[in-house]
Amino acid sequence: MRRIIKREINLNKLKSGCSPCMSEAKKMEQKISNRKVSEIKIEEVKTIVSSMFKKD
C-alpha cells in the first residue's frame, strides 16, 4: 500500500468552485452590495445567513 499525502485546501483562496456555491456567493455579494462589514447591521447579517439555509 502507498501512503497518500493529505493536503490542506484553503477554500478562501480557490478561484473556482461548484455552481451552487458560486451562485450563493453571488447572492450574498448582491445583498451586501460593496459595503464594509462594519456598516452592515447585525439583523441584516442574520437575515443574509438565514437565507442561505432556506430551501427555495
Side-chain angles (χ1 to χ4, degrees), residues 20-32 44-56:
C21 295
M22 296 300 285
S23 66
E24 287 298 320
K26 285 181 183 179
K27 287 178 189 177
M28 288 178 64
E29 285 178 359
Q30 289 175 350
K31 290 179 182 179
I32 294 172
E44 192 173 357
V45 172
K46 289 179 182 178
T47 57
I48 291 171
V49 172
S50 66
S51 70
M52 289 174 31
F53 298 105
K54 290 182 183 176
K55 292 183 180 180
D56 292 329

Side-chain angles (χ1 to χ4, degrees), residues 9-42:
I9 297 174
N10 187 349
L11 297 176
N12 294 327
K13 293 184 179 180
L14 291 177
K15 293 182 180 181
S16 63
C18 62
S19 59
C21 295
M22 296 300 285
S23 66
E24 287 298 320
K26 285 181 183 179
K27 287 178 189 177
M28 288 178 64
E29 285 178 359
Q30 289 175 350
K31 290 179 182 179
I32 294 172
S33 64
N34 296 327
R35 292 182 284 171
K36 293 181 182 178
V37 177
S38 61
E39 294 175 355
I40 302 172
K41 296 180 182 178
I42 294 173

